[in-house]
Amino acid sequence: MNDQHNFCMLPDDERLPSDAKALEQDFHRYLIHHLGRFLGCNPYYQFKALSYTLRDRIMTDWLNTWKQHSKAKQRRAFYFSMEFLIGRSLGNNLLNMGLSDQTEKAMESFSLELEELEEQEHDAGLGNGGLGRLAACFLDSCATLKLPMLGYGLRYEYGMFRQEIENGFQVEEPDQWLRGGYPWELERSEYTQVVHFGGRTEHFRDPEGHPRARWVDTEDILAIPYDVPVCGYRNGVINTLRLWKSTATDVFNLAEFNAGDYVESVAAKNEAEHITMVLYPNDASENGKALRLKQQYFLASASLQDVMRQWELANGQDYSDFAEYHVFQLNDTHPAISVAELMRILLDEKKLDWDQAWSITRKTMAYTNHTLLPEALEKWPVHLFESLLPRLLEIIYEINARFLKEVAMRWPGDGDRRRRMSIIEESPVKSVRMAYLAIVGSFSVNGVADLHSNLLKKGLFRDFHELWPEKFNNKTNGVTPRRWLAYANPPLKRLISSEIGDEWICDLDRLEQLKPLAEDPDFQARWRQAKQENKARLARLVEKECGTVFPLDSLFDVQVKRIHEYKRQLLNVLHVIHLYDRIRRGDAGPDWCNRCVLFGGKAAPGYQMAKKIIKLINNVAEIVNGDPAVGDRLKVAFLPNYRVSSMEVIAPGTDLSEQISTAGKEASGTGNMKFMMNGALTIGTYDGANIEILNAVGEENFFLFGLKVEEVEALRRH
Ligand code: 26Q
């Protein structure tokens, strides 16, 4: 790479001191001199002052990491995702920066509890569930592994809705997570990009006589980047999550204003700002909403332009080895329009010819699929594309025409196959199949667990697998042990580290070293002690949020995840009703195990059946908990507003993890891993990553039940 930057790194003496005394002084200065608050103020400001204090200590490493990545001759990954469910950052950043102990001490000098300040932080709920949390876990892991990865996403003004339970029903409240300011973000308006919508296309020949297109009369919207630091675990690496906010262009406003439409121009500004206003709260599909397509294109276009800008800074207009230094990982089909957008930029703006542009696109795009449910496959009506993104539609048609020629060469005369594989679906509504666009435009297509990847090859993407078997691969989901064990479970972390040191935090396989201790009575006692502490913490949360008392000597049986029929919360609540019935019938004999059943999770606001399941759980809880005949034998609670920060308390305090999806439906699951990592037992079906967990822990350590995929299918055919 042609190096035009001044790449001097910041010297070590630029680093701020991080002893307790220095932290104490900075915290005090931020609170008084920056925020203008007294020591005894609302603890939210104490949280903010502490976050700024820490952020100052992240900055030097952040700048250095950025410089190192721009100069290094290595391939960089760009994770394109509509969701990054990062949750809270203060505690996790302290852990990864290695500053927890000093900070706790510094806060003690003001008689403040660090944990209490951490709880002031609002979750950054920029995601629905598994897919968004996976993106956040990957950020942590890449930074820890020193991999040059940049996350690109949207800075939603309103994240995932806050769930309240009223009379047993879910009620959605807007989540104004940015109110009060978000101390971890850094606005970088110098990297603002312009994104086009609407307009029409013109075709012409350039001076060399080559056919060219331009997209004209567009409505332009600005994309302003906000950077969030992603701290590696004690390694000096700070990667970046770059989130785009939409806003109106001045040019656009001015034109309207000159025409005398002042009010309309202000209203137009409003419209531009709508794009990143709110996260869609569906974790399956809600097809056809124009605003959602705008969000997707906004992310793709702003991010790709930003990458181009960085490339050109060092390489000018030479794209010959661009593909060797870039990978764009598409988190599901949500950013799949990137395939066509990269083509547009390379063809129309960088003046490459089709073959050059297509070669770059196909070498840099990679697609991760997260679902087998056919109804969740994204399709966009062609008429929406025509009005919002006319140039992109032309490019998609051209990609499709060339692709179908390839299919025809391989299977001459097989018109049915061409119809099946076409990126354009003709009926009932002419639509763009985003998954097919992603597959055709990528060098890699992966599923998220072994079973899921195999089912993709046999089912949903069978034709494509036949054509390009080498593209298909598996990347089983993972979760970061930093947040989900070292941070969330201090008692267990201390116990494990006291026996095998703390290298397991970055190398989880080392937990194997605990095996010889499994039968050691002293170790068992300390293990149980840690579990009891965690159960007490969870019980306090449940009592505070639900008013239900969970006795600590009972089994904590937990199912927390989005509410979905395929996840079968209904099956679980039917089991609860069965247990209640046994108690009432006098069938709860001496070997009865007292049980507290906890549910949590949000339903998509339009998913009526999921909402009814929540209501049923709450009604069952009311009956069971209110029946004096039951006593401590059974308790049921529905924890409202399940989110990342609740899981940090739930997973460590759980005895039994419920992973009971209908086989073949849960692509992977990640909650299953968080519970297992914290020492819970699993009751689960032969589905998703459960299978790989079962193989790792052995059948004797897993409560397997239910049908296998083939048995489900056979039953369905009946
Ligand atoms: C689609 C259209 C319109 C609006 C929203 C959406 C939408 C949004 C989010 C569709 C799907 C999602 C999220 C899906 C998801 O979280 N899938 C989960 O991904 C995890 C990580 O791979 C897996 O472990 C889970 O099994 C899978 O359900």
Side-chain angles (χ1 to χ4, degrees):
M1 237 186 265
N2 184 359
D3 190 343
Q4 294 181 358
H5 296 275
N6 171 14
F7 281 121
C8 72
M9 306 286 278
L10 297 169
D12 277 351
D13 58 12
E14 278 285 353
R15 285 226 169 76
L16 295 172
S18 289
D19 55 289
K21 193 84 212 144
L23 296 171
E24 208 180 296
Q25 284 168 353
D26 273 16
F27 169 77
H28 189 261
R29 184 174 53 79
Y30 268 117
L31 198 64
I32 307 289
H33 300 272
H34 182 82
L35 296 170
R37 302 301 200 292
F38 292 112
L39 251 179
C41 65
N42 180 319
Y44 181 77
Y45 298 104
Q46 299 166 345
F47 149 74
K48 259 185 109 170
L50 183 55
S51 299
Y52 285 135
T53 303
L54 175 58
R55 199 179 81 164
D56 287 354
R57 282 150 181 85
I58 291 174
M59 284 297 178
T60 42
D61 287 344
W62 201 2
L63 287 165
N64 281 338
T65 304
W66 190 266
K67 288 212 165 173
Q68 213 160 27
H69 286 168
S70 356
K71 78 172 171 183
K73 261 196 156 268
Q74 57 182 346
R75 204 167 195 203
R76 299 176 70 187
F78 301 85
Y79 203 79
F80 283 12
S81 178
M82 295 281 284
E83 310 192 2
F84 286 91
L85 226 186
I86 51 186
R88 290 176 179 157
S89 291
L90 175 56
N92 198 249
N93 286 348
L94 283 172
L95 170 77
N96 284 12
M97 298 296 289
L99 297 175
S100 309
D101 295 345
Q102 300 91 303
T103 304
E104 204 168 341
K105 206 167 143 212
M107 293 303 99
E108 270 167 19
S109 73
F110 299 107
S111 304
L112 295 173
E113 284 248 20
L114 177 56
E115 203 181 317
E116 215 172 290
L117 297 201
E118 286 175 23
E119 275 166 23
Q120 294 300 312
E121 183 170 0
H122 210 106
D123 278 44
L126 308 183
N128 275 285
L131 167 150
R133 183 56 230 176
L134 184 73
C137 279
F138 279 163
L139 291 176
D140 178 281
S141 293
C142 287
T144 296
L145 294 167
K146 300 191 172 186
L147 297 173
M149 184 251 226
L150 203 114
Y152 275 112
L154 296 180
R155 182 182 177 274
Y156 301 107
E157 211 81 25
Y158 296 89
M160 188 62 195
F161 65 81
R162 189 159 43 80
Q163 178 194 55
E164 289 184 358
I165 300 297
E166 284 178 16
N167 188 27
F169 291 103
Q170 165 174 302
V171 175
E172 301 93 26
E173 295 290 341
D175 163 48
Q176 297 201 36
W177 71 290
L178 287 167
R179 216 179 33 190
Y182 183 56
W184 304 109
E185 68 180 6
L186 197 64
E187 184 181 333
R188 290 214 175 272
S189 36
E190 69 274 30
Y191 301 138
T192 297
Q193 301 295 332
V194 182
V195 178
H196 311 293
F197 288 97
R200 59 194 171 80
T201 61
E202 284 180 355
H203 293 266
F204 62 100
R205 286 195 181 269
D206 66 14
E208 286 86 51
H210 300 127
R212 292 270 165 216
R214 58 182 160 234
W215 187 6
V216 297
D217 295 342
T218 53
E219 283 172 27
D220 295 344
I221 291 175
L222 297 184
I224 303 174
Y226 288 74
D227 287 357
V228 179
V230 179
C231 306
Y233 186 78
R234 301 185 188 180
N235 62 3
V237 172
I238 312 288
N239 280 347
T240 299
L241 169 60
R242 181 160 282 181
L243 301 175
W244 299 102
K245 173 192 161 93
S246 64
T247 166
T249 58
D250 298 339
V251 191
F252 182 59
N253 279 339
L254 205 65
E256 297 270 344
F257 184 59
N258 289 342
D261 297 328
Y262 172 73
V263 171
E264 283 71 14
S265 82
V266 176
K269 180 173 165 61
N270 213 320
E271 185 126 316
E273 277 164 14
H274 276 160
I275 293 185
T276 54
M277 191 64 76
V278 57
L279 165 79
Y280 275 87
N282 316 295
D283 71 337
S285 58
E286 187 180 1
N287 275 327
K289 291 273 196 310
L291 181 59
R292 170 85 179 171
L293 182 60
K294 282 193 190 176
Q295 290 184 335
Q296 296 183 347
Y297 180 66
F298 185 76
L299 169 65
S301 183
S303 309
L304 286 170
Q305 291 186 65
D306 193 48
V307 172
M308 291 291 168
R309 175 189 61 75
Q310 293 172 60
W311 172 262
E312 283 167 16
L313 220 55
N315 302 276
Q317 298 272 324
D318 180 2
Y319 296 94
S320 47
D321 56 359
F322 179 87
E324 280 157 55
Y325 296 102
H326 298 82
V327 178
F328 302 106
Q329 191 71 42
L330 308 176
N331 201 18
D332 215 302
T333 52
H334 314 155
I337 187 66
S338 301
V339 169
E341 174 63 2
L342 182 56
M343 287 300 288
R344 186 194 68 79
I345 294 172
L346 294 172
L347 292 168
D348 299 359
E349 292 179 7
K350 312 303 174 196
K351 314 291 181 207
L352 267 56
D353 66 34
W354 184 278
D355 291 340
Q356 291 169 322
W358 187 237
S359 154
I360 289 176
T361 302
R362 267 200 158 170
K363 281 185 201 152
T364 53
M365 294 282 164
Y367 157 54
T368 304
N369 172 285
H370 297 265
T371 182
L372 285 160
L373 311 180
E375 69 271 22
L377 280 189
E378 263 194 303
K379 287 171 202 162
W380 288 105
V382 159
H383 68 81
L384 247 183
F385 260 93
E386 249 156 12
S387 63
L388 277 181
L389 305 166
R391 178 61 186 137
L392 286 116
L393 182 61
E394 287 179 356
I395 290 170
I396 291 169
Y397 278 154
E398 182 65 25
I399 292 172
N400 196 36
R402 288 167 186 251
F403 164 62
L404 290 180
K405 262 188 208 150
E406 214 178 312
V407 175
M409 297 245 281
R410 170 80 192 267
W411 291 284
D414 194 344
D416 190 51
R417 191 184 288 263
R418 282 206 298 282
R419 186 191 47 73
R420 280 203 314 266
M421 295 181 79
S422 175
I423 296 172
I424 305 297
E425 181 171 277
E426 293 295 333
S427 70
V429 180
K430 197 169 173 180
S431 310
V432 182
R433 295 163 164 160
M434 300 309 276
Y436 293 5
L437 176 64
I439 297 171
V440 173
S442 296
F443 68 87
S444 164
V445 178
N446 76 283
V448 290
D450 207 44
L451 173 77
H452 168 65
S453 297
N454 285 327
L455 292 174
L456 280 181
K457 292 193 257 186
K458 280 196 278 179
L460 217 49
F461 299 152
R462 188 197 177 105
D463 290 327
F464 290 91
H465 179 249
E466 237 182 293
L467 181 59
W468 295 313
E470 68 288 350
K471 270 197 201 189
F472 288 77
N473 66 92
N474 174 58
K475 295 285 174 296
T476 300
N477 278 177
V479 301
T480 166
R482 268 75 60 194
R483 180 179 292 261
W484 296 112
L485 184 48
Y487 170 65
N489 196 340
L492 194 56
K493 176 200 179 190
R494 278 194 294 273
L495 173 60
I496 295 172
S497 295
S498 75
E499 293 293 341
I500 64 169
D502 57 14
E503 275 161 76
W504 60 269
I505 294 173
C506 292
D507 181 5
L508 211 60
D509 288 344
R510 289 183 188 246
L511 292 185
E512 287 254 5
Q513 294 168 16
L514 292 172
K515 247 184 179 167
L517 293 163
E519 304 302 324
D520 175 341
D522 175 58
F523 184 76
Q524 290 175 341
R526 286 153 71 208
W527 183 280
R528 269 198 295 271
Q529 169 64 28
K531 181 55 88 183
Q532 285 307 107
E533 269 180 56
N534 290 321
K535 287 175 76 169
R537 182 157 70 126
L538 174 53
R540 281 197 298 275
L541 177 74
V542 171
E543 185 169 3
K544 179 164 158 260
E545 299 294 324
C546 317
T548 308
V549 176
F550 275 8
L552 296 186
D553 55 0
S554 51
L555 178 87
F556 282 17
D557 172 349
V558 180
Q559 187 176 24
V560 287
K561 50 183 79 235
R562 289 300 289 261
I563 312 292
H564 248 288
E565 286 157 282
Y566 83 76
K567 294 179 191 277
R568 297 200 290 190
Q569 282 92 353
L570 188 57
L571 181 63
N572 193 358
V573 78
L574 286 171
H575 178 242
V576 171
I577 293 168
H578 161 74
L579 291 176
Y580 178 57
D581 184 52
R582 277 183 60 192
I583 295 170
R584 295 290 314 207
R585 280 191 282 115
D587 184 27
D591 52 359
W592 179 269
C593 171
N594 290 352
R595 190 188 290 246
C596 297
V597 185
L598 182 67
F599 291 86
K602 293 174 185 177
Y607 189 175
Q608 291 314 321
M609 187 57 78
K611 291 182 133 175
K612 280 193 178 187
I613 292 169
I614 292 177
K615 174 64 175 159
L616 175 63
I617 294 168
N618 281 305
N619 282 10
V620 168
E622 197 178 317
I623 299 288
V624 171
N625 301 339
D627 187 340
V630 173
D632 277 356
R633 282 178 290 194
L634 185 61
K635 300 277 176 203
V636 188
F638 185 92
L639 184 81
N641 202 30
Y642 171 65
R643 59 198 188 280
V644 173
S645 58
S646 341
M647 188 54 157
E648 289 161 4
V649 180
I650 294 169
T654 293
D655 295 309
L656 182 63
S657 149
E658 298 272 354
Q659 308 299 335
I660 60 176
S661 53
T662 307
K665 298 284 181 191
E666 190 69 273
S668 163
T670 48
N672 47 5
M673 302 168 192
K674 294 163 199 167
F675 283 115
M676 181 58 73
M677 190 177 269
N678 281 281
L681 291 168
T682 303
I683 181 165
T685 45
Y686 212 72
D687 199 15
N690 292 355
I691 300 171
E692 287 155 82
I693 292 176
L694 184 154
N695 291 336
V697 302
E699 272 177 51
E700 67 282 14
N701 294 311
F702 193 105
F703 298 101
L704 180 67
F705 89 102
L707 303 182
K708 303 245 164 88
V709 178
E710 310 79 56
E711 295 166 332
V712 172
E713 280 168 2
L715 192 65
R716 209 166 265 142
R717 279 196 297 272
H718 247 66

